[in-house]
């Protein structure tokens, strides 16, 4: 449904000297450098998939999404969304995609939210039954009525984002691009947006591409993950596969005996491992996977302690991503 084939986007940026004179000379300068925001990205997202497109600030996510939504033309390579090249066929493409861009609004700035929806209904020629069904769903989950007749420009960020997410879905698009869709929302509304996106995906098979720094959004919505770093995709797969790239694993256990003695013994016996006391009085062992297998660590614990309970928690997704962003892991 969404295909990126070796997508590249370069920007020509004027070289700027220091200080005010530097800024002024930029106006006349012929010195430019090329910024490679997206450096040959390829991926395929099948219909009905909910994919996360994640990466550090400046990694090239928004630029990729701008090419996929037709706002920008690639320097080279090709994008296909539901069979169309978005930047060549912007109007046809707009009919079957929905977009939320944190900073850009698809609503009419000087009009109240209900007016924007009436206009969108006309533009997309949305059948009555579809419009009514969707507006009822948005009301139930996002309480759009509460936004009243305030012009969009006077809404808070969170209020506007509720309307933006609804507007992106009002015409039953085949594909929805969500760039930071829960920014500014409180916990209850974040949850509502996640439910809405999951609902339309389950009911209508809507393909979702989500860009977010909010790990809660990613784990609650996405079944696939693409991680981009310095303009290139460095990981693709399921969330589980992403977590398996962690270079440390953890085991948390309870035992009959003193925790501080256990901690000392573990640090001595398992080279490179750390052991800490958890808030609820259990011992957490973190070990490098390059040095120890789970079997060896479990064997050590069972040999040395009278273990009464033991769990192996999933690696922390933020820790895994920090490592990838820092350039120490490319999968
Ligand atoms: N119009 C532009 N002109 C020049 N450089 C640009 C332009 N747009 C983006 N860039 C540069 O391209 C790189 C990628 O930017 P992009 O906005 O795609 O990153 P991002 O991954 O979406 O970041 P964030 O998480 O901060 O939103 C950055 O170095 C940015 O400065």
């Amino acid at each position: 449904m969404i295909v990126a084939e070796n997508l590249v986007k370069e920007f020509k940026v004027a070289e700027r000297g220091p200080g005010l004179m530097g800024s002024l000379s930029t106006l006349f300068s012929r010195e430019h450098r090329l910024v490679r925001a997206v450096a040959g990205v390829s991926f395929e997202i099948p219909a009905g998939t909910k994919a996360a497109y994640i990466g550090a600030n400046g990694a090239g996510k928004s630029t990729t999404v701008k090419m996929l939504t037709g706002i920008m033309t690639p320097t080279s390579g090709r994008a296909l969304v539901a069979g169309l090249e978005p930047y060549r066929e912007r109007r046809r493409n707009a009919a079957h995609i929905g977009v939320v861009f944190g900073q850009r609004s698809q609503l009419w700035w000087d009009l109240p939210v209900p007016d924007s929806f009436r206009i969108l209904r006309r533009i997309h020629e949305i059948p009555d039954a579809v419009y009514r069904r969707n507006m009822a769903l948005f009301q139930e989950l996002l309480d759009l009525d509460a936004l009243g007749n305030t012009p969009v420009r006077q809404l808070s960020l969170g209020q506007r984002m509720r309307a933006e997410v609804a507007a992106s879905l009002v015409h039953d698009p085949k594909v929805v691009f969500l760039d930071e869709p829960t920014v500014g929302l409180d916990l209850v509304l974040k949850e509502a947006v996640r439910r809405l996106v999951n609902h339309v995906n389950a009911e209508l098979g809507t393909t979702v591409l989500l860009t977010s720094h909010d790990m809660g959004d990613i784990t609650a919505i996405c079944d696939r993950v693409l991680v981009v770093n310095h303009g290139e995709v460095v990981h693709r797969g399921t969330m589980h596969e992403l977590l398996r790239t962690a270079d440390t694993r953890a085991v948390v256990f309870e035992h009959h005996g003193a925790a501080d003695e256990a901690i000392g013994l573990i640090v001595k016996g398992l080279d490179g491992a750390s052991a800490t006391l958890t808030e609820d009085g259990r011992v957490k062992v973190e070990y490098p996977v390059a040095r120890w297998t789970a079997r060896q660590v479990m064997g050590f614990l069972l040999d040395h302690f009278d273990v009464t309970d033991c769990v192996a928690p999933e690696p922390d997704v933020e820790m895994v991503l920090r490592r990838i962003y820092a350039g120490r892991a490319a999968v």
Side-chain angles (χ1 to χ4, degrees):
M1 181 59 72
I2 306 175
V3 181
E5 287 172 359
N6 216 4
L7 267 186
V8 173
K9 182 71 191 179
E10 289 172 344
F11 296 106
K12 215 171 167 188
V13 188
E15 282 290 11
R16 179 178 181 279
L20 180 62
M21 285 311 287
S23 301
L24 286 175
S25 69
T26 305
L27 296 173
F28 310 104
S29 161
R30 284 165 198 219
E31 301 283 310
H32 287 93
R33 80 191 153 86
L34 278 185
V35 174
R36 218 159 203 239
V38 177
V41 158
S42 299
F43 55 80
E44 223 171 281
I45 298 171
T49 305
K50 295 179 289 180
Y53 195 60
I54 52 184
N57 291 128
K61 304 177 299 292
S62 297
T63 307
T64 307
V65 174
K66 282 179 188 158
M67 292 188 276
L68 295 174
T69 51
I71 297 169
M72 264 181 195
T73 303
T75 307
S76 64
R78 191 166 79 127
L80 279 178
V81 175
L84 299 178
E85 273 191 80
Y87 34 85
R88 288 191 204 281
E89 304 186 68
R90 287 187 67 162
R91 280 185 87 97
R92 279 179 69 199
N93 184 54
H96 62 233
I97 67 165
V99 185
V100 172
F101 256 123
Q103 307 94 334
R104 290 165 77 111
S105 182
Q106 63 203 299
L107 305 167
W108 280 261
W109 215 233
D110 295 314
L111 299 180
V113 166
D115 289 357
S116 283
F117 277 84
R118 279 182 212 113
I119 298 172
L120 288 170
R121 179 185 193 171
R122 288 267 180 107
I123 291 177
H124 292 300
E125 297 172 2
I126 305 170
D128 282 356
V130 171
Y131 186 75
R132 273 201 301 271
R133 184 240 292 146
N134 285 343
M135 294 311 281
L137 182 66
F138 302 151
Q139 179 52 31
E140 181 192 329
L141 289 173
L142 302 174
D143 192 14
L144 291 191
D145 285 356
L147 305 180
N149 278 322
T150 314
V152 167
R153 75 183 132 72
Q154 287 173 12
L155 295 176
S156 72
L157 175 63
Q159 288 169 331
R160 179 167 73 77
M161 289 312 286
R162 275 147 74 183
E164 298 282 357
V165 172
S168 75
L169 294 168
V170 67
H171 54 304
D172 281 358
K174 289 185 197 153
V175 182
V176 67
F177 296 93
L178 304 171
D179 194 346
E180 297 286 353
T182 63
V183 69
L185 297 184
D186 63 38
L187 290 175
V188 174
L189 281 165
K190 272 187 197 221
E191 183 52 37
V193 165
R194 294 167 188 167
R195 272 179 60 201
L196 176 62
V197 174
N198 285 334
H199 177 88
V200 295
N201 168 264
E203 292 297 313
L204 307 171
T206 314
T207 308
V208 178
L209 187 69
L210 170 80
T211 306
S212 182
H213 292 291
D214 186 323
M215 288 306 133
D217 285 353
I218 292 162
T219 47
I221 295 175
C222 298
D223 37 35
R224 311 282 299 170
V225 186
L226 290 155
V227 183
V228 62
N229 204 21
H230 302 301
E232 291 176 44
V233 175
V234 292
H235 174 88
R236 66 189 79 219
T238 60
M239 184 57 103
H240 182 67
E241 285 162 348
L242 174 68
L243 294 179
R244 284 188 59 81
T245 68
D247 60 352
T248 57
R249 295 281 153 76
V251 175
V252 181
F253 72 98
E254 256 172 36
H255 73 299
H256 288 303
D260 47 348
E261 274 173 33
I263 288 172
L265 208 58
I266 291 163
V267 174
K268 245 199 217 152
L270 291 173
D271 176 36
S274 67
T276 47
L277 192 62
T278 65
E279 275 176 16
D280 55 3
R282 295 181 297 167
V283 177
K284 181 176 185 184
V285 184
E286 285 177 282
Y287 60 95
V289 286
R291 175 73 182 80
W292 300 104
T293 63
R295 191 191 183 103
Q296 288 171 321
V297 173
M298 291 306 299
F300 180 90
L301 299 180
L302 293 171
D303 281 351
H304 290 82
F305 311 109
D306 183 8
V307 175
T308 53
D309 194 15
C310 183
V311 287
E314 285 263 52
D316 174 37
V317 65
E318 295 197 8
M319 179 194 79
V320 173
L321 288 175
R322 264 200 303 278
R323 207 173 128 253
I324 293 179
Y325 295 172
R328 275 178 284 133
V331 185

